[in-house]
């Protein structure tokens, strides 16, 4: 049966791909790739010769309708991004939504995504968390930081190495320099690193040591206010 397969691909080590993902990529009629040059490295490594087509944020608005039509016409299409799970801070959402609205079957395979290993390795609470992806670069950035200052759940951000220091400094400004955090770089790659410290200390470290690679920033949620702590303590003593 023709459908859209959303296929996660490794964020680093090519061994992280699943056997099922390899089979789907082999059997699909076409692979939609965020960057065909990047995905061709993976395809060549596993000798996958399925035809590829570009599908990225600059053309997806124009191509979604046609792709839905092709699937309805009998094609099985696999969607991949440069790394990780498509639609998570990558192109894919528009196509998935269009397929769902058109009654086209969509199946997302489980697989690699950068924020899960970063969250677990951070050592910060992971029972409840919120994924923020990339912060707005300009418009709305300050507003969003102010809103998140009171967020109780552990927060997850993606960031470029070129903006990491600025982001850590701003997080320290709005959340407090003593807020616990972790910076995870190059997940599943040779130079993988997780550095855990306060926001102020992490900002100082990366200001002195230029960061490189793909980066995930994990930040502890806001601590409970003293009044709320006292209220809970008083309530528990009444029981």
């Amino acid at each position: 049966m023709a459908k859209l397969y959303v296929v996660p691909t490794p964020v680093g080590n090519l061994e992280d791909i699943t056997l099922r993902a390899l089979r789907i990529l082999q059997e699909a009629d076409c692979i939609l790739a965020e960057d065909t040059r990047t995905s061709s490295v993976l395809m060549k490594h596993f000798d996958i010769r399925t035809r590829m087509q570009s599908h990225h944020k600059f053309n997806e608005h124009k191509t979604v309708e046609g792709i839905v039509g092709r699937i309805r016409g009998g094609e099985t299409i696999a969607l991949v991004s440069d790394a990780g799970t498509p639609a998570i801070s990558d192109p894919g959402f528009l196509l998935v939504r269009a397929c769902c609205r058109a009654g086209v079957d969509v199946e997302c395979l489980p697989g690699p995504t950068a924020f899960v290993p970063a969250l677990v390795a951070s050592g910060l609470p992971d029972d409840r968390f919120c994924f923020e992806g990339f912060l707005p670069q300009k418009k709305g950035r300050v507003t969003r930081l102010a809103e998140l200052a009171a967020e109780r759940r552990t927060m997850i951000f993606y960031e470029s190495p070129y903006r990491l220091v600025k982001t850590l400094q701003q997080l320290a400004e709005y959340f407090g320099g003593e807020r616990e955090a972790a910076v995870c770089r190059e997940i599943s790659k040779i130079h993988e690193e997780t550095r855990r410290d306060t926001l102020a200390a992490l900002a100082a470290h990366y200001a002195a040591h230029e960061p490189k690679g793909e980066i995930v920033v994990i930040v502890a949620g806001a601590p409970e206010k003293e009044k709320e702590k006292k209220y809970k303590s008083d309530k528990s003593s009444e029981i």
Side-chain angles (χ1 to χ4, degrees):
M1 178 180 174
K3 66 171 67 175
L4 173 69
Y5 283 100
V6 181
V7 184
T9 53
V11 297
N13 194 318
L14 294 183
E15 293 179 359
D16 292 339
I17 198 164
T18 67
L19 295 175
R20 184 174 172 220
L22 292 174
R23 178 178 61 79
I24 295 300
L25 293 174
Q26 289 275 16
E27 295 177 355
D29 295 304
C30 177
I31 297 171
L32 300 179
E34 182 179 3
D35 188 326
T36 55
R37 295 166 300 180
T38 299
S39 295
S40 67
V41 176
L42 177 72
M43 304 308 161
K44 288 178 182 178
H45 182 82
F46 291 106
D47 195 26
I48 296 170
R49 303 181 184 183
T50 306
R51 177 173 60 90
M52 285 196 292
Q53 175 184 330
S54 293
H55 182 80
H56 45 71
K57 64 181 180 180
F58 302 108
N59 71 1
E60 60 179 339
H61 290 83
K62 302 176 182 178
T63 59
V64 162
E65 186 177 339
I67 294 168
V68 171
R70 286 164 54 187
I71 299 173
R72 297 182 76 172
E75 281 192 58
T76 293
I77 292 181
L79 173 67
V80 301
S81 59
D82 288 347
T85 301
I88 302 297
S89 291
D90 277 329
F93 164 70
L94 293 179
L95 179 57
V96 170
R97 182 178 65 179
C99 286
C100 292
R101 289 177 173 177
V104 170
D105 197 9
V106 177
E107 188 169 343
C108 181
L109 277 61
T113 188
F115 77 81
V116 173
L119 173 63
V120 174
S122 73
L124 295 171
D126 55 13
D127 55 331
R128 296 176 69 244
F129 59 89
C130 62
F131 175 72
E132 290 294 320
F134 289 95
L135 284 166
Q137 290 188 35
K138 295 181 180 178
K139 186 177 180 181
R141 185 180 180 91
V142 169
T143 300
R144 190 63 188 140
L145 286 168
E147 291 171 346
L148 290 172
E151 172 60 59
R152 296 292 185 80
R153 297 168 294 179
T154 299
M155 292 164 279
I156 303 167
F157 303 92
Y158 284 169
E159 193 48 278
S160 157
Y162 309 109
R163 295 191 301 267
L164 178 62
V165 173
K166 175 185 176 181
T167 295
L168 289 171
Q169 290 171 341
Q170 288 183 315
L171 289 171
E173 177 185 352
Y174 283 88
F175 297 179
E178 294 306 306
R179 185 81 69 91
E180 289 186 89
V183 173
C184 305
R185 298 189 310 106
E186 295 292 79
I187 293 170
S188 190
K189 297 179 182 176
I190 295 174
H191 301 294
E192 180 175 352
E193 173 195 62
T194 298
R195 182 168 290 274
R196 308 166 186 86
D197 214 319
T198 64
L199 284 170
L202 288 169
H205 172 80
Y206 287 108
H209 303 84
E210 183 181 0
K212 296 180 181 180
E214 302 294 327
I215 293 170
V216 184
V217 180
I218 312 293
V219 183
E224 291 184 302
K225 295 178 181 178
E226 291 303 318
K227 286 184 178 180
E228 292 174 343
K229 287 184 180 179
K230 184 177 185 302
Y231 173 78
K232 290 181 180 179
S233 176
D234 291 343
K235 294 296 288 184
S236 64
S237 65
E238 294 174 5
I239 299 174

